[in-house]
Amino acid sequence: MTTTIPAATEAWEGFTPGDWTDSINVRDFIQKNYTPYEGDSSFLSPATDKTLRTWDYLEKHYLSEERKRRVYDVDTHTPADIDAFPAGYINDDDDIIVGLQTDTPLKRAMMPFGGWRMVETAIKEAGKEVDPEVKKIFTRYRKTHNDAVFDIYTPRIRAARSSHIITGLPDAYGRGRIIGDYRRVALYGIDKLIEEKQAAKDAVADKPFSEHWARFREEHAEQIKALKKLKVLAESYGFDISGPARTAKEAVQWTYFGYLGAVKSQDGAAMSFGRLSPFFDIYFERDLARGLITEQDAQEIIDALVIKLRIVRFLRTIDYDQIFSGDPYWATWSDAGVSEDGRTQVTKTSFRLLQTLRNLGPAPEPNITIFWDPSLPEGYKKFCAQISIETSSVQYESDRQIREQWGDDAAIACCVSPMRVGKQMQFFGARVNAAKALLYAINGGRDEVTGKQVVAEPHQPIEGDGPLDFDEVWQRYEEMLDWVIGTYVEALNIIHYCHDRYAYEAVEMALHDSEIVRTMGCGIAGLSIVADSLSAIKYAKVYPVRDETGLVVDYRTEGDFPIYGNDDDRVDDIAATVVHTIMDKIKQIPMYRDAIPTQSVLTITSNVVYGKATGAFPSGHEAGTPFAPGANPENGADNHGMVSSMLSVGKLDYHDALDGISLTNTITPSGLGRDKEEQVANLVGVLDAGFIMNEPGTCCGR
């Protein structure tokens, strides 16, 4: 049975009006209507019997089976789309927040528009047979994003890709890092969103022909089609989302339908959820005040939503899983922070989200990300610390840095990449192996692992067996970076040109403004290794060790040298200079669609793969061993404590890495204090101190 939605005036009854009532402006709605919460966690409810039954059924019949065979099931006959599958449910209790990617929990769908070869490999690795008719369509009649990319790739891009100096490029899968403003579905309803998109398309009808305006109109046409499919998806579950949501439960459901449409149609490297808690909380507060729901009902709704986020699955290869250390999709839910007027954005729903980690147990998805500021309410900070200690399932970001650069309605895509929700998107670009580039500089462009001459241009190797000279190595490193960065950005421009043409994210972009800011999310890996190696060359004596062909394959280092991660300016300044130098080189290159170049220092999941493909270093880092993640010091090298490592990372200029800087810290609870109360207090203190002193950086840790 289809639910009918009343006029917006009825759905918005009780809300404070503002600009949001006249135009699409979710931030204004939130700022006019949300209620900051300064209390503690005592109001929270445990999981309901229905929640536990659903979760237990899912574990017994699906999750436990998936763990036995990696992939539970694959639909090999139906190319994925927003409305490609009939309605699916976990069990009879699954009636709070509904909607699955396919018709069965954990069944994965094909997304061949990104590239057929990856789909076919993933199907075979899952023990399934490829449908010959589907293969015929996507190899003979329908060009894919991957086909287009490799048609355009240059020989030097292929060489850099094969040698792993550039790894993880989104050239065979969805690029991700796009956060649709899924809240718009709940606040305005689909019909209003279609009306706005049609008006934007018609407004440029009289523009003289240009590639820009032709693409603008075509993309808007695709967005309108996607919104119509979203209505069909909701109808299959018995809901009419043409108008705005009337209740808290509908607001969560409508929002989830928007997100479900995205994960049904795109396999992006990061499919983040956005900044939801203040938005949802407005509806919960209204329904609680009216006596329509209880606190138990509110928690049950959030628990049901989180269950759905935990069971999103994409059809991916074993190689992909190795690059990203598992099967993550980063359903990042950004929370807390401070509004531009100084009010905390902590709400009761901020607590409800964290409570899911108790009610359902720890999990990596959704990737709960707290925008931390020392001025957040003490009750909330203590609860965050408690949950972190109990579950190790929370990460923290510098709210002040994000807010000052991106505003107070920003959210994280993936791990550390901030953007204004619904007004900005990123062209995701994986990252370059900045550490391997240093070895290439010493070897004149020969790969230290294979011995191949990867860099075709005349880069001369450093000769002789004496100690390496810092100034000479730095000059060669800068020259090599010109080649590496130029090759990298060229690949990114090609990838995103092809992705827009052959694997466009219509529903996600339909939940954005018509004119948006685009960034090009570049990134680097191996920062700590570069900093320590250059430090060794500068402050100690480093002798190259060559094989019979003259290739430098190892180093002999004599003497001590400062090590990154211990708040020592001598080496921390080297790290900051490397980040600045790379960003400066990136800025010199024109970007596809005039994107703003940004950079991240992030390898939380791919550091192992980078290490396997890279040789030994002057710092003592051994060949084939994992890199430290992100901006972390080398494993075990930060011997002055956690705060000192945070201070070292804080010396990196955030303006050189606006895509985010990652610092992952591991602390055993016993190391924080003798009892739970002391542990909580000390963790709050460490986070406050780190974020106060670590102003330039963004801290991300679990």
Side-chain angles (χ1 to χ4, degrees):
M1 180 176 178
T2 300
T3 305
T4 58
I5 301 297
T9 52
E10 181 182 340
W12 294 345
E13 185 179 347
F15 294 151
T16 300
D19 291 344
W20 66 272
T21 56
D22 300 318
S23 61
I24 306 295
N25 192 335
V26 179
R27 179 193 176 271
D28 184 65
F29 168 74
I30 292 170
Q31 291 295 315
K32 294 286 196 311
N33 290 281
Y34 86 97
T35 304
Y37 179 66
E38 302 280 348
D40 59 23
S41 61
S42 58
F43 72 94
L44 288 167
S45 291
T48 64
D49 290 342
K50 179 190 283 286
T51 296
L52 293 176
R53 285 196 305 269
T54 303
W55 185 244
D56 289 346
Y57 187 92
L58 187 63
E59 167 62 31
K60 180 179 179 181
H61 295 277
Y62 295 102
L63 293 170
S64 62
E65 291 300 314
E66 181 185 56
R67 285 192 288 271
K68 295 175 185 177
R69 53 183 188 258
R70 180 177 166 265
V71 174
Y72 177 80
D73 195 9
V74 181
D75 186 307
T76 61
H77 307 292
T78 312
D81 201 354
I82 297 167
D83 58 352
F85 293 93
Y89 300 86
I90 298 171
N91 62 0
D92 291 341
D93 280 322
D94 182 20
D95 60 1
I96 303 300
I97 299 299
V98 300
L100 301 178
Q101 277 179 293
T102 58
D103 56 348
T104 303
L106 308 186
K107 181 191 286 186
R108 307 183 190 217
M110 298 180 295
M111 296 190 179
F113 294 98
W116 175 255
R117 283 174 290 182
M118 179 174 278
V119 168
E120 183 170 12
T121 299
I123 289 172
K124 292 178 179 178
E125 289 175 348
K128 301 290 183 179
E129 296 293 327
V130 172
D131 184 326
E133 287 303 312
V134 177
K135 179 176 181 177
K136 183 178 180 180
I137 291 170
F138 287 95
T139 55
R140 291 186 60 181
Y141 303 123
R142 179 56 160 86
K143 188 170 187 175
T144 68
H145 157 58
N146 182 247
D147 291 333
V149 167
F150 277 85
D151 281 347
I152 303 174
Y153 267 174
T154 63
R156 74 175 191 171
I157 294 174
R158 289 173 178 263
R161 191 178 184 275
S162 298
S163 69
H164 303 290
I165 198 164
I166 304 174
T167 299
L169 291 170
D171 52 18
Y173 58 91
R175 56 191 167 193
R177 300 283 184 94
I178 300 173
I179 309 173
D181 191 355
Y182 307 110
R183 306 167 300 185
R184 296 184 182 193
V185 180
L187 184 57
Y188 296 106
I190 293 295
D191 285 355
K192 175 63 175 176
L193 300 181
I194 291 174
E195 177 186 319
E196 290 286 322
K197 290 296 179 179
Q198 187 64 53
K201 180 173 180 279
D202 292 344
V204 300
D206 295 330
K207 295 275 188 183
F209 177 83
S210 69
E211 183 179 351
H212 170 79
W213 291 119
R215 178 168 54 193
F216 182 93
R217 285 180 54 79
E218 183 183 23
E219 287 181 350
H220 276 67
E222 291 299 312
Q223 292 172 22
I224 292 168
K225 292 174 187 175
L227 290 171
K228 291 177 179 178
K229 289 180 180 180
L230 205 57
K231 287 178 68 172
V232 174
L233 167 64
E235 287 168 1
S236 72
Y237 286 94
F239 292 96
D240 177 2
I241 61 172
S242 59
R246 300 167 300 182
T247 65
K249 185 177 177 180
E250 286 187 351
V252 175
Q253 180 69 72
W254 272 221
T255 302
Y256 174 62
F257 275 140
Y259 182 73
L260 185 61
V263 296
K264 276 176 169 285
S265 55
Q266 284 289 332
D267 64 340
M271 299 294 288
S272 297
F273 200 21
R275 199 163 183 171
L276 288 305
S277 294
F279 178 78
F280 288 155
D281 200 75
I282 294 167
Y283 288 88
F284 282 127
E285 285 294 303
R286 186 178 68 169
D287 283 8
L288 285 165
R290 292 175 171 179
L292 299 178
I293 60 171
T294 64
E295 178 56 38
Q296 187 178 63
D297 296 327
Q299 186 65 54
E300 186 177 61
I301 292 169
I302 295 298
D303 287 346
L305 173 61
V306 166
I307 287 174
K308 293 299 189 299
L309 297 179
R310 288 189 180 189
I311 60 174
V312 169
R313 297 290 188 273
F314 293 105
L315 179 62
R316 288 168 175 166
T317 64
I318 292 173
D319 281 347
Y320 180 99
D321 289 354
Q322 288 177 344
I323 291 175
F324 294 104
S325 297
D327 191 18
Y329 75 100
W330 290 286
T332 304
W333 184 323
S334 303
D335 209 345
V338 177
S339 291
E340 291 174 5
D341 62 10
R343 293 180 298 158
T344 174
Q345 285 201 36
V346 173
T347 64
K348 286 187 174 181
T349 300
S350 302
F351 282 82
R352 293 175 185 124
L353 174 61
L354 291 172
Q355 180 73 351
T356 65
L357 294 169
R358 284 179 168 170
N359 288 354
L360 304 173
E365 306 287 2
N367 180 21
I368 298 175
T369 299
I370 307 302
F371 285 8
W372 189 273
D373 188 286
S375 67
L376 294 179
E378 286 301 313
Y380 181 69
K381 291 198 293 185
K382 289 180 179 179
F383 191 58
C384 286
Q386 288 175 349
I387 296 297
S388 287
I389 290 168
E390 291 173 12
T391 69
S392 189
S393 297
V394 182
Q395 71 173 18
Y396 300 91
E397 311 266 348
S398 171
D399 177 65
R400 187 169 302 174
Q401 290 295 320
I402 294 169
R403 185 175 70 252
E404 289 177 356
Q405 187 68 40
W406 310 107
D408 61 6
D409 195 37
I412 297 296
C414 190
C415 298
V416 296
S417 304
M419 60 192 68
R420 297 176 189 267
V421 179
K423 299 181 178 299
Q424 182 179 336
M425 67 161 286
Q426 181 191 103
F427 293 139
F428 166 57
R431 51 204 59 87
V432 296
N433 191 333
K436 194 176 183 76
L438 179 63
L439 303 184
Y440 273 34
I442 293 170
N443 277 311
R446 285 182 70 192
D447 191 275
E448 75 287 352
V449 177
T450 66
K452 292 181 179 179
Q453 187 71 42
V454 174
V455 182
E457 287 85 349
H459 289 266
Q460 295 300 315
I462 294 176
E463 298 179 347
D465 297 323
L468 294 173
D469 178 74
F470 177 83
D471 290 335
E472 181 183 14
V473 170
W474 178 258
Q475 179 184 345
R476 300 292 182 88
Y477 186 46
E478 278 217 64
E479 292 170 355
M480 186 56 63
L481 285 174
D482 288 334
W483 185 92
V484 172
I485 297 302
T487 304
Y488 175 47
V489 175
E490 182 181 20
L492 297 185
N493 284 336
I494 291 169
I495 287 167
H496 294 293
Y497 166 80
C498 295
H499 208 292
D500 277 348
R501 291 192 68 190
Y502 297 102
Y504 181 66
E505 302 92 340
V507 72
E508 291 170 88
M509 298 312 300
L511 300 174
H512 280 72
D513 291 352
S514 289
E515 295 287 355
I516 62 169
V517 173
R518 294 176 176 86
T519 62
M520 184 70 79
C522 305
I524 61 172
L527 176 64
S528 60
I529 301 174
V530 176
D532 289 349
S533 294
L534 289 171
S535 176
I537 294 168
K538 186 172 186 178
Y539 295 105
K541 292 184 182 299
V542 176
Y543 298 87
V545 177
R546 303 178 185 275
D547 66 9
E548 62 278 5
T549 70
L551 182 72
V552 179
V553 294
D554 205 349
Y555 300 87
R556 178 169 56 87
T557 301
E558 297 179 356
D560 296 328
F561 55 93
I563 296 174
Y564 171 73
N566 296 289
D567 192 22
D568 189 320
D569 286 346
R570 292 175 296 170
V571 63
D572 295 347
D573 288 348
I574 291 175
T577 300
V578 170
V579 173
H580 176 77
T581 299
I582 292 174
M583 188 66 240
D584 190 56
K585 292 180 184 298
I586 292 170
K587 288 179 179 178
Q588 306 309 312
I589 305 171
M591 300 286 161
Y592 172 63
R593 294 187 83 165
D594 297 321
I596 299 169
T598 61
Q599 180 177 209
S600 65
V601 187
L602 169 69
T603 55
I604 283 181
T605 53
S606 53
N607 48 304
V608 175
V609 172
Y610 280 112
K612 286 182 179 179
T614 307
F617 286 87
S619 63
H621 186 98
E622 296 180 359
T625 58
F627 288 4
N632 274 51
E634 283 285 86
N635 297 324
D638 49 337
N639 51 31
H640 285 61
M642 177 176 169
V643 173
S644 289
S645 70
M646 295 174 79
L647 290 172
S648 286
V649 174
K651 293 171 191 173
L652 305 178
D653 190 339
Y654 182 52
H655 292 91
D656 288 330
L658 288 173
D659 197 38
I661 303 167
S662 165
L663 171 62
T664 305
N665 279 304
T666 301
I667 313 171
T668 58
S670 61
L672 288 167
R674 293 163 295 183
D675 56 35
K676 185 71 169 288
E677 184 177 353
E678 186 177 3
Q679 292 167 5
V680 167
N682 285 338
L683 181 53
V684 170
V686 167
L687 288 168
D688 279 348
F691 281 115
I692 289 171
M693 294 184 287
N694 189 15
E695 278 303 299
T698 296
C699 173
C700 166
R702 288 193 169 198

